[in-house]
Amino acid sequence: MTLASKSDTNNSSARLECIDIFRGLTMALMLMVNNPGNPNTIPVQLEHASWNGFTLADLVFPFFLFIMGVVVPVSINNRLAKGTGKITIIVHIFLRSIQIFLLGLVLNGFPLFDLNTIRIPGVLQRIAVVYLFSALLYLLCKSIFKKETVQMGVQLLTSVFLLLLYGVLLKVVHVPGYGQGVMELQGNLVQYIDLKLLPGHLYKPDWDPEGILSTLPALASGIIGVLAGMILIKPNKWIIKMAVFIGSGGLLLLAAALLNTVFPYNKNLWSSSYVLLTSGLGILLLAFFYLLTDRMKSGKIFKPFKAIGASAIFVYFVSELIRRTLWLIPVQDATGSTMTLKIWLTTRLISPWAHGLDSLYFSIFYVMVWLVIMGVLYHRKIYIRL
């Protein structure tokens, strides 16, 4: 864990408020989705789609991978401008990826740390792999090709290749006992590979939403973010950037809608159409915040979310520890019934007046607590980097 002052942050990202605001809003939505007060009254949009389709909750993870990709060219260019050697940057990329991956394993193993059953895939693990791949690809393209248009073209083709390859594999490869092209939970190629290579180390006995094969299209989510970041930091006029963002975002949404007919939106499979959909929405949302905060110098209502966005991995890690410890403390009420602390707080303090929205109000209150805590640290120019 490191504490960074404002002077430690790179100047480019500091000038682009849209990045931290986008990331902060994504983290706030994550806190709401992962911390419902009453599991019986969760709003539909704050629950993940059971299989095909998508909800607001299903935008959290791909949005984080997208904005992580956006930061890659900002960060690497800043290091290069300061005279940092490429080998040093590569070492940093590897060390950072290993650190995030290990944090994911620590989180999965907590509190028993049983190596016989520990879940190996996970959210932080996928973040680590996507960051490693997208950052190295960007640096490689920047080192080999002089023209930025060629660099972007290679990365775009790589993302297209990954999405096509993933779709073809799921449609063509024969799964023993099930056949070809199975897109249901039981019998798809993603499940088959995970059960063969990681039996006993998955999120559920027969499934993991952050599995091995489904990381392929997740790489494309990060690469598309890198491309958006390259556009964001180009010295073009802002109106040109907005036109490119709106045009590319619209094209991605159109492609997603067309592909959805043969490869439906599916977070569990991280389907190719899901990547196009979430990336298109991410680009349009980034464009909105860029226009609002960095060009119009407005949007002060979103400024508090910068505090969460500046220490995103820390917020995720600690909030997950809280979800697995504090919220599960058993509490016995006056009637003798026992419930977890989270449900007790919700049903006793919020449910009586919430008219069925107690879970939502609890989640909002929890986000506000984080905004206050991280806001105080941010005001003191303290960022916690895990």
Side-chain angles (χ1 to χ4, degrees), residues 27 30-36 103-104 106-108 110-111 119 123-124 203 312-328 366 370:
M27 293 304 299
M30 179 276 296
L31 291 171
M32 293 182 66
V33 170
N34 290 356
N35 296 274
L103 281 173
V106 170
L107 202 56
N108 286 353
F110 182 85
R119 179 192 178 199
V123 170
L124 290 178
Y203 180 67
I313 299 295
F314 168 78
V315 172
Y316 174 78
F317 186 82
V318 175
S319 67
E320 284 298 289
L321 289 180
I322 291 174
R323 184 170 69 89
R324 302 176 191 201
T325 54
L326 180 63
W327 290 156
L328 299 181
Y366 186 61
W370 272 104

Side-chain angles (χ1 to χ4, degrees), residues 208-240:
D208 199 301
E210 281 80 49
I212 297 172
L213 186 61
S214 60
T215 300
L216 277 180
L219 297 176
S221 296
I223 295 172
I224 295 173
V226 172
L227 292 171
M230 294 177 71
I231 295 171
L232 192 62
I233 62 176
K234 282 178 71 67
N236 292 337
K237 293 183 178 179
W238 69 270
I239 193 69
I240 296 177

